[in-house]
Amino acid sequence: MTTAKTDEVVTEPTAPEAPSDQRERDRMRRRAARRRGGGWWPYLFLAPWFVGLFGLTIYPMLDSLYLSFTDFDLLSPAKWVGAQNYSRMFHDDPKFWGSVSVTTLYVVVSVPLKLALALAVAVLLNRPLRGLGFYRAAFYLPSLLGGAVAIAIMWRQLFGGDGLFNDFLGWFGIKGQDWISNPDTSVYTLILLAVWQFGTPMVIFLAGLKQLPQDVYEAAAIDGAGVLTRFFRITLPLLTPIVFFNVVLQIIGAFQTFTPAYVVSNGTGGPLDSTMLYSLYLYKKGFTDLEMGYASALAWVLFLVIAVFTAINFIASRYWVHYDD
Amino acid sequence: MGHQISRRTLFRTASGVAAATALGGTLSACGGGTGAGTTSDKLTMTWWGSDDRHKAYKKALKYFQEKNPKIKIEERYSGYDGFFDRFNTNVAGGSAPDLTQMDTALVAQYARKGVIAPIDEYVGKSLDLTGFSKTLLAAGTVDGKLYGVPSGIGVNQLTINRSGLEKLGLELPDREWTWADLKKIAVEVNKKSGGKMFGVDDGGGGTLQAFEVFAREKGQPFFAADGTKLGFTADTLQEWWEYWVGMRKDKACPGPEITSAAHNNLTKNGLVIGKTLITFDIGVYGAGGSITKETLDFLPSPQGDWSGAREGNFVNGGVLLSATKASKRIEDSVKIMNFFAQDKTAIKDMQLQRGIPPTEKARSIVAPDLTDIDKRNMEAADYISKRVAKASNALPAPTPPPKGADQIWDLLFQSNLAVAFGKKTIKAQLGEFFDQAEQILAK
């Protein structure tokens, strides 16, 4: 993602612009095609994309919907069992509820913290600052590395019993514990890892901040509004569309978190299932315990949960998101 | 452009598109698909292990291909983590390897699902199993048919940091030691090290070398012979957990943080990080002996010290080599199995990388080149297998574990950990353990 320099007039941030711009172009292209009467030509050029959409997304999705109603162990043919997988999940599987509560905690704590930090840093960086590009890159870097296995391994070392974090506490005479292998603290190390990767929403916030109209601020300054008043009365309301965008994306991403939990817990979700995030449980059911039918059902429940959350987000946004049309 | 896109439209669209894209991922990742089989004319062979094992396999297979220029082998190897996740995916996708190293713990479930092929018809013809004992072959035998050739003898040994003991002025315990002796020396370690070290790692959640042996000493197998039920009683497990509660209380073994950190992670094993001197994890030596610089030695799992205690140790088959049923090259795979079972060069190349060699002949071939630690390991294994063979009161060697066994072992580990962390009482955890175990086995 690129952000424009301060002196340029930025109309829209780049990321959200791309898809709708594309749509506009598609629409114009379709109109042009109709005029020329070249009916099937556009579809030929779109074919590679359709192959990907149907072959790699829609077909596997439908397949997994079918599998979610079967008993399928990957090795022998799937057997139809009706809604058994779904009823087992809700009535018969304490580990499912365990992973739901760990995941809920993870989402509810990590998303607000991450967004608050991202916004705070973005506000700090939104001023003529020498070496701004460097800071921006430095804060963004963890997000680029975030999905990487190497970072999760480093995290395991940092917060282990003999890790750097405890050495640091040792300077102040505090005797730390093994944060990763204690079931009461392990999930918070994952939350910390997520919060640390605040770069992506920060860059989006920064892009949004740069296009806020300056005249409002000048007027407010003349009226004697302080820094806090300006932030809460001007910046935040004007920025709500971008906050909304980030909230939607981060919630979806947090629900689907897999890699850090897998790596930090060595693929076990331990200790005592305290890092058994939903996606990790799903993976273990499917690929380790060979219950792919059940795993597919788990995936669909996750899909529905995320869809509901997203819908709630969109509905609620009517009441708090302020569009400056 | 004819009209201006409003910010409202823009952001709502953008949020919607982003949400849709992000969501699609999970579901499509779960869908199955039928992949094409391997098209090359190479025979695929997979295994897991340490670097040393990879090197040994590659060296031996190179020699095999020189002797059999018609068989070209594609080697795929990795560590144990995720090995069978990958194997499952390959089988499901129709690209299973022709020949694979197989875990004795999993052979029964793959045999019953028809993933691996019985090889009885080749025995005595292209597969020469002269010198393999019956108990050894039992490790690869499921429902009366042979599904894999054992690589060597596996016994229940505890790995001991002998030089560490000597530094504290303690001696290596006698091979005929009991669980009470283990506790005694472990407490000594903690005292003599000024509380810095613990004697042994927490075995309360361990199956191999640990609870399985203890239960057998009580005359109870881990799994009942037909594989659909647990073979031990709640009393036995309760007594076992109480023993470990006492061990933790007397600082004979470390607390649950260290136990949980070492789970599935050899580099955090108590013996490796210098926190304990005795470990149930056979992997510490299996990793090539290189993971710790201390002098290691080996002892059988302790014996029961109550009257009527039976021999609990047993001999199993190390790892197996199995051919997959869908393979068109089973005959060639059997040829490779035979090569590893009997060929002098192969045996020499593999050394103890897959356990103590299975036959008397093979053991004499590797003997001259063994390192000191290998010699100690082989000697200790020899001692146990002789004692087991002589014991009149030993249970038969365990049958290959049923489907879901690995989930039950994990359950045992997690249960002990929950008790150790003080999250559950033994009584409550016992009920939960048996409930969940029954549910797993019923599937």
Side-chain angles (χ1 to χ4, degrees):
Chain A
M1 153 160 287
T2 52
T3 39
K5 289 194 202 85
T6 347
D7 50 353
E8 275 174 11
V9 182
V10 187
T11 45
E12 307 292 355
T14 322
E17 185 178 66
S20 64
D21 201 8
Q22 179 111 36
R23 281 189 165 189
E24 190 62 25
R25 252 183 276 136
D26 286 348
R27 206 174 299 144
M28 288 169 67
R29 228 180 271 141
R30 270 200 300 278
R31 238 178 265 145
R34 240 179 276 130
R35 267 199 302 277
R36 279 198 303 275
W40 54 275
W41 270 105
Y43 298 102
L44 181 68
F45 288 106
L46 281 170
W49 183 79
F50 276 125
V51 169
L53 177 72
F54 286 105
L56 299 174
T57 307
I58 294 189
Y59 167 69
M61 267 176 83
L62 292 177
D63 201 24
S64 89
L65 181 61
Y66 162 69
L67 287 176
S68 76
F69 291 99
T70 65
D71 179 8
F72 178 46
D73 65 4
L74 277 177
L75 307 175
S76 26
K79 278 193 299 274
W80 183 265
V81 295
Q84 199 179 302
N85 287 328
Y86 292 93
S87 74
R88 170 179 162 202
M89 213 178 290
F90 292 101
H91 299 118
D92 237 9
D93 187 359
K95 279 197 159 208
F96 164 77
W97 289 110
S99 77
V100 167
S101 85
V102 171
T103 310
T104 309
L105 175 72
Y106 177 82
V107 173
V108 168
V109 179
S110 76
V111 171
L113 282 180
K114 184 180 191 173
L115 289 180
L117 189 62
L119 181 57
V121 174
V123 169
L124 287 178
L125 289 183
N126 184 33
R127 61 180 71 179
L129 206 66
R130 191 185 290 180
L132 179 67
F134 169 77
Y135 291 117
R136 214 164 42 203
F139 283 120
Y140 186 50
L141 204 58
S143 309
L144 292 179
L145 300 172
V149 171
I151 292 296
I153 287 178
M154 186 188 88
W155 220 250
R156 204 164 70 194
Q157 294 301 341
L158 270 179
F159 291 95
D162 48 0
L164 270 179
F165 185 64
N166 280 344
D167 288 352
F168 171 74
L169 289 181
W171 294 347
F172 306 99
I174 302 168
K175 197 176 171 310
Q177 46 152 341
D178 190 328
W179 304 92
I180 302 256
S181 56
N182 184 325
D184 297 328
T185 55
S186 54
V187 72
Y188 293 99
T189 64
L190 293 183
I191 288 174
L192 200 62
L193 177 57
V195 174
W196 180 60
Q197 291 157 2
F198 62 86
T200 307
M202 180 206 72
V203 170
I204 298 174
F205 276 134
L206 199 53
L209 285 170
K210 288 200 183 304
Q211 50 158 332
L212 298 183
Q214 288 310 308
D215 47 350
V216 193
Y217 285 98
E218 281 159 20
I222 292 168
D223 289 344
V227 178
L228 281 181
T229 318
R230 266 180 282 166
F231 177 78
F232 285 107
R233 293 288 174 82
I234 301 176
T235 311
L236 210 48
L238 286 177
L239 212 56
T240 44
I242 297 187
V243 175
F244 173 59
F245 177 80
N246 274 333
V247 166
V248 169
L249 274 201
Q250 292 304 323
I251 287 183
I252 293 173
F255 268 115
Q256 297 178 329
T257 307
F258 171 78
T259 315
Y262 181 86
V263 177
V264 168
S265 74
N266 250 316
T268 64
L272 298 182
D273 294 339
S274 59
T275 56
M276 189 67 92
L277 291 186
Y278 196 92
S279 299
L280 179 56
Y281 183 56
L282 190 162
Y283 169 85
K284 276 177 75 94
K285 275 289 154 205
F287 292 97
T288 308
D289 299 345
L290 295 178
E291 297 178 32
M292 194 49 89
Y294 189 54
S296 298
L298 285 170
W300 275 89
V301 168
L302 179 62
F303 172 80
L304 292 177
V305 167
I306 296 180
V308 167
F309 263 86
T310 309
I312 292 174
N313 253 326
F314 271 83
I315 294 167
S317 74
R318 288 190 199 138
Y319 303 98
W320 64 273
V321 176
H322 173 81
Y323 293 103
D324 181 34
D325 284 342
Chain B
M1 230 185 270
H3 68 282
Q4 194 75 37
I5 305 172
S6 76
R7 281 170 62 87
R8 183 188 302 265
T9 323
L10 178 79
F11 278 108
R12 304 204 95 193
T13 317
S15 304
V17 168
T21 323
L23 266 169
T26 353
L27 293 175
S28 45
C30 282
T34 42
T38 24
T39 46
S40 81
D41 58 343
K42 282 185 171 174
L43 184 151
T44 351
M45 174 172 173
T46 58
W47 67 82
W48 72 89
S50 62
D51 276 348
D52 290 343
R53 190 189 275 178
H54 300 329
K55 271 185 220 145
Y57 260 126
K58 294 183 84 151
K59 198 170 162 210
L61 288 174
K62 196 174 160 223
Y63 175 77
F64 177 85
Q65 291 174 86
E66 278 165 18
K67 292 279 154 194
N68 299 276
K70 276 189 190 155
I71 304 179
K72 295 215 167 47
I73 300 170
E74 189 185 320
E75 301 153 351
R76 290 190 210 150
Y77 46 88
S78 68
Y80 188 79
D81 277 356
F83 179 87
F84 280 97
D85 295 356
R86 209 156 32 241
F87 179 74
N88 296 336
T89 319
N90 283 336
V91 171
S95 56
D98 297 290
L99 176 63
T100 184
Q101 186 174 294
M102 176 56 61
D103 194 332
T104 50
L106 301 172
V107 64
Q109 63 168 284
Y110 286 116
R112 291 187 182 130
K113 282 190 193 304
V115 173
I116 52 178
I119 46 174
D120 301 84
E121 54 180 297
Y122 303 98
V123 178
K125 293 172 201 148
S126 55
L127 182 57
D128 174 10
L129 295 180
T130 319
F132 282 72
S133 75
K134 253 207 159 122
T135 39
L136 197 55
L137 288 176
T141 306
V142 180
D143 304 331
K145 285 190 192 156
L146 185 68
Y147 283 91
V149 179
S151 67
I153 299 172
V155 290
N156 313 291
Q157 307 201 63
L158 269 58
T159 306
I160 293 147
N161 178 349
R162 201 178 72 190
S163 47
L165 278 182
E166 283 159 1
K167 262 177 239 159
L168 297 177
L170 293 168
E171 266 179 36
L172 190 70
D174 186 81
R175 280 174 175 161
E176 293 295 308
W177 66 338
T178 64
W179 293 105
D181 295 333
L182 170 64
K183 180 165 184 182
K184 210 166 99 195
I185 192 164
V187 171
E188 280 294 299
V189 168
N190 185 256
K191 279 191 187 140
K192 297 224 163 158
S193 67
K196 285 204 184 81
M197 274 195 267
F198 305 90
V200 59
D201 48 28
D202 189 339
T207 304
L208 293 170
Q209 280 78 254
F211 179 65
E212 183 167 25
V213 173
F214 182 82
R216 290 169 62 85
E217 287 165 354
K218 293 269 178 193
Q220 300 165 356
F222 197 97
F223 293 109
D226 66 352
T228 59
K229 280 192 288 293
L230 294 174
F232 56 89
T233 62
D235 288 347
T236 305
L237 186 55
Q238 178 172 357
E239 192 180 329
W240 174 251
W241 280 344
E242 278 163 0
Y243 173 79
W244 286 100
V245 167
M247 293 288 275
R248 286 189 292 269
K249 205 178 101 226
D250 294 345
K251 303 251 187 289
C253 73
E257 278 93 359
I258 291 184
T259 311
S260 115
H263 191 43
N264 283 3
N265 186 355
L266 214 47
T267 61
K268 294 267 185 175
N269 176 283
L271 194 144
V272 175
I273 62 173
K275 273 272 174 203
T276 62
L277 294 180
I278 304 174
T279 180
F280 289 92
D281 194 337
I282 200 80
V284 172
Y285 161 71
S290 52
I291 200 155
T292 156
K293 289 201 171 60
E294 307 285 334
T295 308
L296 302 182
D297 214 323
F298 307 90
L299 288 176
S301 291
Q303 310 188 73
D305 36 17
W306 53 90
S307 72
R310 301 168 68 164
E311 174 62 68
N313 280 280
F314 56 89
V315 175
N316 71 20
V319 294
L320 305 166
L321 283 183
S322 296
T324 52
K325 208 167 188 176
S327 163
K328 295 189 182 78
R329 313 273 305 258
I330 297 181
E331 258 167 66
D332 288 339
S333 296
V334 169
K335 231 178 195 172
I336 298 174
M337 293 178 198
N338 189 60
F339 169 73
F340 281 105
Q342 302 293 355
D343 187 274
K344 212 173 155 182
T345 316
I347 292 166
K348 246 186 149 66
D349 286 341
M350 294 315 289
Q351 289 280 335
L352 302 193
Q353 284 305 325
R354 300 188 304 160
I356 318 283
T359 64
E360 205 64 57
K361 179 188 123 193
R363 285 195 284 275
S364 67
I365 292 171
V366 299
D369 297 325
L370 290 182
T371 59
D372 284 347
I373 180 175
D374 286 347
K375 272 186 200 149
R376 283 195 297 276
N377 184 265
M378 205 156 115
E379 212 188 351
D382 202 40
Y383 177 86
I384 309 171
S385 42
K386 280 191 180 134
R387 196 179 83 190
V388 170
K390 261 194 285 177
S392 55
N393 60 356
L395 296 179
T399 46
K403 179 183 167 222
D406 41 348
Q407 287 179 63
I408 289 179
W409 296 327
D410 191 54
L411 179 63
L412 182 68
F413 178 85
Q414 302 295 346
S415 302
N416 179 61
L417 205 60
V419 172
F421 270 118
K423 300 266 175 203
K424 287 272 163 63
T425 63
I426 290 184
K427 273 262 146 61
Q429 192 59 52
L430 271 177
E432 223 167 88
F433 177 88
F434 281 90
D435 279 356
Q436 291 184 28
E438 263 164 40
Q439 221 180 56
I440 294 169
L441 285 175
K443 244 170 257 149

